[in-house]
Amino acid sequence: MKVLHFSGATYWGGGEHDLLELVTWLDKFGVSVAVYCTEKSPLIPEAEKNGISCYPSYNKKANILSRARNLGTILNEKEPDLLHIHTSDALATYFIGYTLGYIKTPCVYTKNILSKTSTFLSRLKYNCKGIKSIICISEAVQKSLSPHLYQKNKGKTVIIHDGTNLEEQLPPAPFDIRTHFSLPSDAYLVGNIANHTPPKDLNTLLLTADFLAHSLQKEDIYFIQIGGESKYTEALKKTYNSLGLAKNLFFMGFQPAAASFMPQFNAMLVTSKEEGLNLTIIESFKSKIPVIATRAGGIPEAVHHKETGLLADIGDYKTLAENILYLKENPAVSKELIKNAEELISHDFNTKKMAEKTYALYKELQSSSI
């Protein structure tokens, strides 16, 4: 079987991690895989490191007709049995190409973010006849997509959770956080790994830190924020300064191997208001770090309250802070959460299971002549 994976991503995120893991596992299963992407795609060096071919000729700045024709040319040259699409812009390109007859290759689409308002174009795109199956990374994503699908196409969705590679060891961290920020050797560190985008709701992170330090007077709890800056960073830093959090919360910016710092954390905090799932949570489970999170999107599918982690409502910084304090004061509870979380990812939310289910889907489609 020959499958071409198509991504328009220009920065590294959870979806790119999943794509790389998927093609690497599929290659081990004997599937012929390659990636069609942008010239500066963050996937290229990682994919080629694993022996996966990349065709970096997708130009996001070109008009959509040009992009569709280029995709058609690539598909005619490479002749894959199936195209697996991983980003929304890539799906739009496919839809135009398929509708205008440039493209005949059937496709599978992975959707990893929640759908919002339905537009005429989005309904046409998601109901393109060339789409044979839509992989949703969580029940929440599937539910949010359902209103966009015609009744006859609702049966095309399938849930395949993304996850972590249980066979891969984390690289050593570049430095010790406590030493780097001159913190006590026994400082209680709460990690947050998220790019500075609205869905991650980092203002709630700041309010949580503020409530703990200034309302509950718990200044021995320190927050470490790792993530790429954006146009929203300036406003975030302004709030940070106005709250007087310089001694309590530290920004580390983008770190290429962010997960390598996880073992240094005592807990992981996820403050998102929108999530398809959340890879940081799954990586924390693997790293034996207890998780405190919001009930955003698909998060409760992995974080079962008081079983694999602790939950609070979206934006409820007081409960998030109280959950952090509860774990700090009850280490036995943290150990139990970690144990249950490890059990969960041994059966689901791991990349091998994700790849096996995806491969099974490919074969099912192939046997039905796609």
Side-chain angles (χ1 to χ4, degrees):
M1 182 184 292
K2 193 174 181 181
V3 181
L4 180 66
H5 293 259
F6 179 19
S7 169
T10 55
Y11 65 90
W12 188 262
E16 290 61 57
H17 168 276
D18 292 341
L19 194 165
L20 180 65
E21 287 286 344
L22 177 61
V23 295
T24 303
W25 278 109
L26 290 173
D27 183 60
K28 293 177 182 177
F29 296 163
V31 179
S32 176
V33 292
V35 177
Y36 174 56
C37 57
T38 63
E39 183 180 3
K40 296 183 179 180
S41 170
L43 289 163
I44 296 172
E46 297 301 322
E48 292 182 343
K49 190 187 302 179
N50 292 337
I52 307 298
S53 297
C54 292
Y55 309 123
S57 59
Y58 177 57
N59 182 6
K60 292 185 72 169
K61 294 182 179 180
N63 67 67
I64 198 163
L65 287 176
S66 177
R67 283 156 35 199
R69 285 194 292 267
N70 185 257
L71 174 60
T73 299
I74 288 289
L75 292 171
N76 287 334
E77 289 177 358
K78 307 304 178 184
E79 298 184 324
D81 299 300
L82 189 66
L83 178 68
H84 190 150
I85 297 172
H86 295 266
T87 57
S88 180
D89 65 292
L91 181 61
T93 299
Y94 175 84
F95 164 68
I96 295 298
Y98 190 91
T99 302
L100 296 179
Y102 302 144
I103 297 168
K104 303 294 183 184
T105 309
C107 85
V108 168
Y109 173 53
T110 289
K111 185 160 180 57
N112 53 25
I113 60 174
L114 302 175
S115 293
K116 298 181 182 179
T117 56
S118 179
T119 65
F120 177 69
L121 180 59
S122 68
R123 288 179 66 82
L124 288 177
K125 179 176 69 174
Y126 292 128
N127 289 281
C128 177
K129 289 183 179 180
I131 301 175
K132 301 307 174 184
S133 186
I134 300 177
I135 297 172
C136 300
I137 67 164
S138 67
E139 292 176 21
V141 169
Q142 184 187 53
K143 184 178 179 180
S144 74
L145 177 63
S146 183
H148 300 255
L149 298 176
Y150 303 150
Q151 189 61 42
K152 65 180 181 179
N153 291 329
K154 291 184 186 291
K156 290 183 177 181
T157 63
V158 59
I159 296 170
I160 300 180
H161 291 134
D162 59 2
T164 183
N165 189 336
L166 298 179
E167 298 181 11
E168 184 178 72
Q169 297 297 314
L170 289 174
F175 55 85
D176 179 80
I177 293 173
R178 291 171 178 82
T179 302
H180 184 75
F181 290 110
S182 301
L183 300 176
S185 60
D186 60 348
Y188 193 89
L189 298 188
V190 179
N192 173 273
I193 299 178
N195 291 330
H196 299 184
T197 60
K200 301 303 181 180
D201 193 14
L202 295 183
N203 277 321
T204 293
L205 167 66
L206 301 185
L207 293 174
T208 303
D210 175 62
F211 186 71
L212 267 172
H214 301 140
S215 296
L216 299 182
Q217 300 294 307
K218 300 296 180 181
E219 296 191 1
D220 58 343
I221 297 175
Y222 303 90
F223 292 80
I224 306 297
Q225 205 291 314
I226 300 175
E229 296 190 350
S230 70
K231 63 181 181 180
Y232 303 101
T233 301
E234 184 177 352
L236 187 70
K237 294 286 184 71
K238 186 175 180 179
T239 302
Y240 168 80
N241 290 327
S242 68
L243 292 173
L245 292 173
K247 295 180 180 179
N248 311 96
L249 191 153
F250 303 89
F251 290 98
M252 286 175 46
F254 173 75
Q255 297 291 330
S260 68
F261 291 99
M262 285 186 177
Q264 299 184 44
F265 298 147
N266 298 98
M268 181 65 71
L269 176 63
V270 176
T271 59
S272 302
K273 60 182 178 181
E274 297 173 18
E275 283 288 359
L277 193 52
N278 184 281
L279 185 60
T280 293
I281 288 172
I282 311 305
E283 294 285 2
S284 297
F285 288 173
K286 175 184 173 180
S287 299
K288 303 181 180 181
I289 308 301
V291 172
I292 302 104
T294 57
R295 293 184 173 90
I299 287 177
E301 294 172 42
V303 182
H304 307 155
H305 188 51
K306 296 184 179 180
E307 184 179 341
T308 61
L310 299 180
L311 291 171
D313 291 337
I314 294 169
D316 186 357
Y317 64 89
K318 291 183 179 180
T319 299
L320 290 171
E322 289 164 356
N323 284 344
I324 292 169
L325 187 58
Y326 177 70
L327 290 188
K328 181 178 184 293
E329 296 177 346
N330 294 275
V333 174
S334 290
K335 289 181 180 179
E336 185 65 20
L337 296 178
I338 290 168
K339 176 185 174 183
N340 294 337
E342 284 187 289
E343 178 69 15
L344 177 67
I345 62 172
S346 70
H347 299 293
D348 198 357
F349 301 100
N350 66 73
T351 55
K352 185 176 183 182
K353 183 68 67 177
M354 172 186 72
E356 288 173 343
K357 290 181 177 180
T358 303
Y359 183 37
L361 175 64
Y362 289 171
K363 291 195 292 184
E364 179 184 338
L365 294 174
Q366 189 179 48
S367 66
S368 62
S369 299
I370 310 183

